[in-house]
Amino acid sequence: MVLSNQAQRAWKTGTAILSSLTAFHVVFQVDYGDHDHCFSDIQKWYRNKMDTILLGNDAVNAANDTAAASAAAATSLSSESINISNININDGIENERVGKR
């Protein structure tokens, strides 16, 4: 079946639009996990720009400052809690072994 020129033009236009939307989604929207990938930098830039547009510049700066402070606090607390939990777990194992003898 041969398509008319108008139908072919519509098909090509629709294909170009759908391909562009798919590429936009793959580059900017898809979450590839926590590890770095080839789209990490452009996704960070895009998300920062969208936050600035939707929330305003002051809200984005305040959110970034809060997130950075909480991430630094969580990192220092998590390393301390890991060390403390390892000590507690090892003490509990030693106490159980002594009690079984």
Side-chain angles (χ1 to χ4, degrees), residues 21-35 37 39-40 42-44 46-47:
L21 290 173
T22 302
F24 175 82
H25 179 71
V26 167
V27 172
F28 293 109
Q29 300 291 327
V30 174
D31 184 12
Y32 294 102
D34 293 336
H35 62 281
H37 49 84
F39 300 127
S40 293
I42 196 164
Q43 283 182 346
K44 289 176 189 174
Y46 172 75
R47 290 178 181 146

Side-chain angles (χ1 to χ4, degrees), residues 51-53 55-66:
D51 287 345
T52 302
I53 292 169
L55 301 175
N57 197 22
D58 295 335
V60 172
N61 290 338
N64 287 341
D65 293 343
T66 303

